[in-house]
Each structure stands twice: as structure tokens, then as C-alpha cells.
Amino acid sequence: MRTWTRLGAAVLALAGAGAHAAPAGGAVPLRAFVLEDAYRLVSVSNPQITEDGTRVLVTVRTADREHDRWTRRLDMVRVADGTRTTIPTEHGFSAPRWSPDGKRIAYIADHGVWVTSADESGANGSGASGSTGNGSSANDATANGSGAQRVTAEYYDVVQFAWRPDGNALAFVAIDRAAAKTGDAKYLDAYSVGNDAALAEGAARPAHLFLQPLDGAPARALGPRTGSVASGDAESTLSFTPDGKTLAYVWSPTNVGNDAVGARVHLVDVATARDTALPGFTNEEHDPLWSPEGTRLAYMHSGGDDQLHPVEVFLTTPSAGAQPVSHAVDRAVRDIGWQPGSSSLYFTVTDGTKHVLFRSRNGARPEPVALGALSITSGLDGAIARNGSIAFTGETANRAPELYLQAPDGGAPARLTSYNDAFRSIALAGATRITYHTAVGVDGDAVLVKPAAMQPGRRYPLVVVIHGGPTAASTEGFDVLEQLLAARGWLVLEPNYRGSNNLGARYQRAVGGDKLRGPGNDIDAAIAAVRRLGIVDERRMAVSGWSYGAGLTLWMIEHRHDWRAAVAGAAVTDIAADYATADDIAADRALLGGSPLIAPYRARAASMSPITYADRVRTPLLLMTCRGDTRVSPVGVYEFYHALRDLGRPVQLIAYPVDGHFPSDPVRRNDVYRRWIAFIAERFGA
């Protein structure tokens, strides 16, 4: 799957760009979004609420620009008054979880599980007011010393864990450690290739399941030693029955991402370690969660590759067949969570251009839960209290992310934090949803972002930004790239072409066998819809995207020539070459219908590969790639670059000598967007 989500917390801006908006009543004019503002953006994620609904843990991430890294801290927020306390943790912590009684907190750090007290006596509480603009309240305090204890042995490489309901033990998943070698064996590291990515650094080591008592006893193995617990991109939930006797997890044939299509939900008896596959489907199962009464299991499943088959929620008992819960909603499910002590199962989907919330009572037809204008951007497991309160991170196009609480009696969500209050003094662009007709028989939609100070009767340059995936969707959330483009006085159009997962199964499946042409027609229709509004300067239009959106960018400049500039990052240019090298070859095979390396699919792959039409390119193009990208090999990007150079076409290629599908550090992300915007600006002119 060509996954490239919205750029959210990416850090870039162009200083001084954009118009100023003057509020009514003689107030101080709002200023434009600039570089320093982007660095101040605070990421708020992974809310975890105590079962009694009184306290919420939230992970807070900020950019450490000097050292080119992200820093994280763990805040505890009191629901009653918004008081925040920073919980001391080990460096580089992740995945914090409350103990069942709410008295302790466990998290992962330094490849192990650590447990610390949730007692606030070691840290001074603070009000949620007085934001300093960098995510910390002026009165926030951090206790000295973490006080945490490592509860798993140092030789375990832990990647996931879950509390047992009695709070006296943890289940955890650990990657097998490489065997110690001596002599020549230290250098004999060749391995047999299966479905591994070409840029893999070695054979994938499997992950296995263990139970760690908290009384000092050693961990013991659970589950089979064959295969692997799904981890990495395929990681799923671990879930105990309320009595702690059975653990649900996801088994995969290997720990290679390309083999995760064979993932199955397994149940392991904690006392005997006896392991069985959950009766039901035979692949594409993930994220099992036991119901609060322990007799039913909710999990997610797609009827094939999730690019073409929307993910749905199913409910089952170990001895009965699975029953669909979310099917009537006809949207791909993003996340699920049970309400403790209740039969209510919640799930989120992308519907249109928002992330929305649904609730199913006892497996009945789901009902929407109103969240006002907010999109919910966080997960649900561990975020729902016994009384039905839901802690979540929410945002809109011009409202930066914060922690919110949805009360059980409904009403507007209450904002609990003020991490991004500094953005209130900035003129931020708003977004609207537009729709357009498609040949699929389903109206497509798009996010249209307008400059903050648009003037009636004036026409503005248009920048099209195409999302990755294709199984994703552009939504009305806070996005740094959007704000930076709009701050230049440009319109930003983000079309949800066929294959996007926000408009139902029919629309999502329509991308099968039609990787570029059909989506390209949808993008054309979205552009035409905006042009009909009479606000587009048609002499200055640009198209851009990353990953799948980059491949579509190349298609767009090959099939229309009214662009002034194009930017494409991590583009699949040759499907056959990508299939042979990538870490998601099952996705390529599903989109095409078969292997692009053999007849009859080889010819079909060539017809859907931008490299086939390279001689049609006339638009100035900026290509970008990461040299260690296992999702989209840089080989294809280089191939397209040299083809255009040999043709004498205007092209630049920027390569980042880092791993990953997109630069993960603040400064390089900064540089990506600096180049992205500057390339377009130079060709738009004044």
C-alpha cells in the first residue's frame, strides 16, 4: 500500500509569506504563518483515559531544531480542571498504558517495558493556561527522576505489550535477538530472500509472545515458535479476556511485511500456552479486542488487499461465525475500541473529508457520534472510560490539534489542553469540501484550502496536492503544507480520486486495474469544479504529491500541459521495477490483478507506469527521493530523472541520504517543503 498520510506535523514554512488578515473591532491584525510557527507546532497523540474517566495520558511531541530530532514527553491531564502534570519517563518512551487500577503506568523504552507510579506527589500539578508557544504551560512542572523500573530482561527486544486485567503481569512481543557469532561466522551474513524488500538490511527476524509476571519471576513464552507475531507496519493489538486466561493476538507467516496478507487472529491459553487460530477468515485479520464481558471478540478484516477491499469490523465468539458490524456504514474502518463495562463498540472511519466516530450497541446498526466540526485523529483502544467519556485528539483545517473529551451525554466536545494556543495569533487558511462527478457513478470529493485573506473578484494561483495511498483520503485537518501554500496566496486543492477510502467500497475498488488513468480523470474533474468557481488564475497552476500521489503527478504532467511546475517525491515510475524491489509487492499485485513481471500483466503494468510516457513531459519537474526507501525504491526515480535528462526536459532530482519513505527528522522535512514551495514559487513568479 502506498501509504503517505497527511503531512500534519511536518515542519516547514517560508518566512514572511502570505497576507495579513485584520480582525474586526480594531484588534491587532493576525500575522502570516512563518517558519518559526511551524517549528512550534505541538503534536498531541495516543490519549489513554483511566477507567473512572478522571485522568488522561497524552504523548506530546515537539521539534528539537538544534539537534534535528523530535522530543517527547508524557503528560497527565485531569479531566475536572485541565491541570497537567508531566510524568517522568525514560528517554525515547512510547506506547504508554494505564494499569487496570489506574495506579501505575507502563511504557516501552530502550527495548524494554518500564513501569512507574501514577502518583502525582512527585510532580507539581499545573494549570492548562499560560501557554509558552512550545507546548508547555508556563506553570508546567516535571518531577525529578523517572522512578520507573524495567520489568523485562534486557536481552528482550520488546516492541509491544499489554497489561493483564489483574495488573500482576504483562504480555509482550519481542523480536528475536540475532545469535552471537565468533570467527568467520561474524561476517557470514548472507540470507535467503523471499518476499523481502531489495533494500532490506538483512533477514527479517521473527517476533514472539511472552508473559512477564510483575513479582520478579522470569518471562515465559506463549504461542507457537513457528511464524511470527505481526509487528512493524502490521502490528496489531494484544487483548486479554477479562479473566486473563486467554490472549488474542495476530499471527503472520513471517515478519516480512509482504507476508502480512496471511495474518490471522490467534488465541492463546495463558496457562498452557496452547495456541489456536480464530475460526473465520483465512487472512487479512488484525486488531482483535475482547468485549468487556469476555464472550465476544471484535476484530478488523478486509476481503482482500485493503487497497481494493475496505476494512470492516466483525464480531464473533470463538465457536461461532463472524458477523459484520460496520458494513452498513460503507466506509473503511480506521480504529476500534470497547467501552468498559458496556456492550458498546466504537469505531472511526473517514467519511467525506472528515474522520468521524460511530457506535454500535451490542452489534446493532452503528450510529454516528457527533463531534462538531472536529476530525478525530487518534485511536480508541484505551481512550474510552467506563461512563462512556472518550478522550481524543481533534483538529480542523485552521485549528491545530488538541486533546478533547467527548462526554457520555453528548454535546460539544470539551477542549482539555492549550498546547497550540500560539496559533490563535496567526491568520490560518480554512478548508471546504467540494464535490464533482466521476465515471464511477459516485461523486468524488476534494478539500479546497483558500488563503486567509481572499478578496472577492480576484483569481489566485492553484496548487494541486495529491495524497498517497491510494487507500487514504485528504481531510479537513490541520496540515502544515496546506497552510504554507495558502500563506503564499495560493489555492490548494486536494482531490480524493477513486481508490480513496472515504466514499465507500464502490469508489475504493474502482482503482483496481486502473492505477493512473481513472484517478487522473477524477483529478481533472476536481480541477474543473474549482475553475468553475471563477477564483483560479489559470495561467499559474502546479501539481504535486508524494508516493502514490507522486506517480499521479507524473501522469498529470504527461497528459495535460497547462502546468507551470510539478513536484513529485518517492514516485513509482515503473510498476515492474517497483514490484521487484518494494516492501509491499502484494499491493502492486492486487492493483494490477497479477504479477507485473509475467504475461499478461507485464503489458498492463507498462501501460500504467509513468516511465512509458516520459517523452510527453513538458512541465518543469522537481523529483525527490530518500536513498534508503524500502517502500518505493529510489531506482525508479533515478530512471525517470535520467529519461527526462536524456530527452532534454527541465528536471531536477534531490536525494536525501537517509532511510525511510519520507525524511523523519525535523530539519530534513523542513528542507523538503522549502524546496517544494520554492520550486513552484519560482515558476509562478510574482
Side-chain angles (χ1 to χ4, degrees):
M1 178 172 57
R2 304 289 171 219
T3 303
W4 186 59
T5 57
R6 292 170 61 80
L7 304 173
V11 285
L12 167 84
L14 297 180
H20 295 249
V28 176
L30 300 179
R31 60 177 178 80
F33 194 87
V34 296
L35 175 61
E36 297 307 316
D37 300 317
Y39 274 111
R40 291 190 186 107
L41 181 66
V42 179
S43 171
V44 187
S45 64
N46 194 24
Q48 297 285 298
I49 195 167
T50 51
E51 189 167 309
D52 63 9
T54 60
R55 293 164 294 161
V56 180
L57 292 175
V58 64
T59 301
V60 181
R61 190 186 76 168
T62 57
D64 178 357
R65 186 175 178 182
E66 180 179 356
H67 300 97
D68 189 24
R69 64 188 181 190
W70 303 104
T71 61
R72 282 180 292 185
R73 72 170 191 267
L74 183 62
D75 279 2
M76 180 167 59
V77 182
R78 285 198 164 275
V79 169
D81 57 9
T83 299
R84 294 200 303 263
T85 303
T86 295
I87 303 296
T89 60
E90 298 300 304
H91 177 71
F93 80 92
S94 64
R97 295 290 185 270
W98 289 107
S99 63
D101 61 5
K103 295 181 179 180
R104 291 166 294 166
I105 300 165
Y107 57 82
I108 296 174
D110 191 26
H111 307 286
V113 180
W114 298 70
V115 175
T116 188
S117 172
D119 183 5
E120 296 176 71
S121 61
N124 295 323
S126 64
S129 60
S131 174
T132 62
N134 63 359
S136 301
S137 167
N139 297 317
D140 280 352
T142 302
N144 294 323
S146 75
Q149 292 186 335
R150 185 177 190 132
V151 297
T152 55
E154 292 191 359
Y155 52 79
Y156 288 115
D157 186 359
V158 178
V159 293
Q160 187 183 7
F161 76 94
W163 285 94
R164 196 170 67 184
D166 63 3
N168 294 324
L170 299 163
F172 70 88
V173 176
I175 304 290
D176 286 359
R177 287 287 180 98
K181 296 180 179 181
T182 60
D184 289 353
K186 291 188 294 184
Y187 312 105
L188 297 175
D189 51 7
Y191 63 99
S192 178
V193 174
N195 284 325
D196 309 76
L199 293 180
E201 296 181 352
R205 289 178 281 127
H208 290 108
L209 190 61
F210 300 86
L211 185 77
Q212 176 65 67
L214 296 185
D215 60 3
R220 61 182 178 88
L222 297 175
R225 303 306 293 175
T226 58
S228 175
V229 179
S231 63
D233 288 346
E235 182 177 294
S236 291
T237 50
L238 304 174
S239 182
F240 281 99
T241 49
D243 61 11
K245 294 181 178 181
T246 303
L247 179 69
Y249 73 99
V250 173
W251 176 92
S252 184
T254 75
N255 212 11
V256 174
N258 279 323
D259 293 331
V261 293
R264 296 284 308 275
V265 173
H266 277 218
L267 307 178
V268 59
D269 184 294
V270 175
T272 66
R274 181 174 178 269
D275 186 272
T276 58
L278 180 74
F281 305 105
T282 59
N283 59 8
E284 301 284 1
E285 298 176 345
H286 55 98
D287 291 309
L289 288 177
W290 284 105
S291 62
E293 84 286 350
T295 61
R296 296 172 298 166
L297 188 73
Y299 65 99
M300 296 160 72
H301 166 73
S302 57
D305 185 88
D306 64 9
Q307 290 180 117
L308 304 180
H309 302 271
V311 174
E312 297 187 44
V313 181
F314 290 83
L315 195 57
T316 187
T317 63
S319 59
Q323 300 297 318
V325 174
S326 63
H327 187 75
V329 175
D330 190 27
R331 297 291 185 270
V333 175
R334 303 174 65 237
D335 194 71
I336 60 176
W338 286 99
Q339 177 182 337
S342 165
S343 63
S344 290
L345 177 66
Y346 290 79
F347 61 90
T348 59
V349 303
T350 307
D351 182 27
T353 55
K354 291 184 179 179
H355 301 311
V356 299
L357 179 66
F358 279 85
R359 175 176 58 194
S360 170
R361 292 182 174 92
N362 204 29
R365 186 181 180 90
E367 305 166 341
V369 178
L371 298 178
L374 294 168
S375 272
I376 178 172
T377 58
S378 54
L380 296 174
D381 186 26
I384 309 172
R386 179 175 287 272
N387 67 0
S389 296
I390 303 173
F392 69 97
T393 56
E395 60 186 47
T396 68
N398 55 6
R399 192 185 311 175
E402 296 289 357
L403 176 66
Y404 291 84
L405 187 79
Q406 177 66 39
D409 56 358
R415 182 164 65 97
L416 298 181
T417 61
S418 54
Y419 294 114
N420 286 301
D421 269 6
F423 288 84
R424 292 186 176 186
S425 64
I426 301 170
L428 297 172
T432 57
R433 177 179 184 248
I434 66 168
T435 60
Y436 48 89
H437 296 302
T438 73
V440 178
V442 177
D443 280 357
D445 66 7
V447 175
L448 178 61
V449 181
K450 300 178 181 179
M454 283 190 69
Q455 300 173 9
R458 181 179 171 185
R459 293 177 180 264
Y460 293 84
L462 175 69
V463 179
V464 180
V465 179
I466 308 173
H467 71 71
T471 316
S474 292
T475 58
E476 298 174 61
F478 190 87
D479 186 270
V480 170
L481 179 60
E482 284 179 1
Q483 294 297 333
L484 297 171
L485 293 168
R488 296 299 300 245
W490 302 339
L491 298 165
V492 185
L493 177 66
E494 300 175 288
N496 288 319
Y497 50 89
R498 69 191 67 181
S500 300
N501 63 0
N502 63 322
L503 295 170
R506 183 179 179 185
Y507 197 71
Q508 185 175 334
R509 290 172 181 161
V511 76
D514 191 11
K515 180 181 173 70
L516 297 174
R517 187 177 302 278
N521 291 339
D522 300 337
I523 295 167
D524 281 335
I527 295 168
V530 177
R531 291 170 73 172
R532 285 193 292 270
L533 299 177
I535 58 176
V536 177
D537 179 353
E538 298 180 11
R539 302 166 303 166
R540 292 189 288 177
M541 298 195 302
V543 61
S544 60
W546 200 273
S547 193
Y548 201 102
L552 280 170
T553 294
L554 300 182
W555 175 267
M556 297 305 294
I557 64 175
E558 290 169 337
H559 290 82
R560 58 186 294 172
H561 304 291
D562 52 353
W563 308 108
R564 294 289 288 273
V567 179
V572 173
T573 68
D574 184 332
I575 295 176
D578 181 71
Y579 177 81
T581 58
D583 67 354
D584 63 343
I585 62 175
D588 288 336
R589 197 163 49 236
L591 278 176
L592 196 62
S595 169
L597 300 178
I598 60 175
Y601 303 104
R602 190 167 191 121
R604 183 182 297 179
S607 72
M608 293 193 289
S609 296
I611 191 64
T612 302
Y613 313 98
D615 61 339
R616 301 183 184 181
V617 173
R618 301 291 185 273
T619 303
L621 172 64
L622 172 62
L623 292 166
M624 289 186 276
T625 186
C626 293
R627 291 292 304 276
D629 188 349
T630 59
R631 179 56 48 89
V632 177
S633 168
V635 171
V637 180
Y638 274 75
E639 182 183 12
F640 202 85
Y641 167 68
H642 283 291
L644 293 189
R645 285 194 70 190
D646 294 346
L647 289 164
R649 305 295 157 75
V651 61
Q652 298 178 27
L653 171 58
I654 300 298
Y656 291 89
V658 296
D659 293 338
H661 191 43
F662 188 86
S664 60
D665 59 291
V667 173
R668 288 189 183 90
R669 287 194 175 204
N670 218 351
D671 190 62
V672 167
Y673 294 105
R674 178 186 65 82
R675 294 177 184 275
W676 191 317
I677 296 173
F679 187 83
I680 295 172
E682 182 179 349
R683 283 143 190 88
F684 275 177

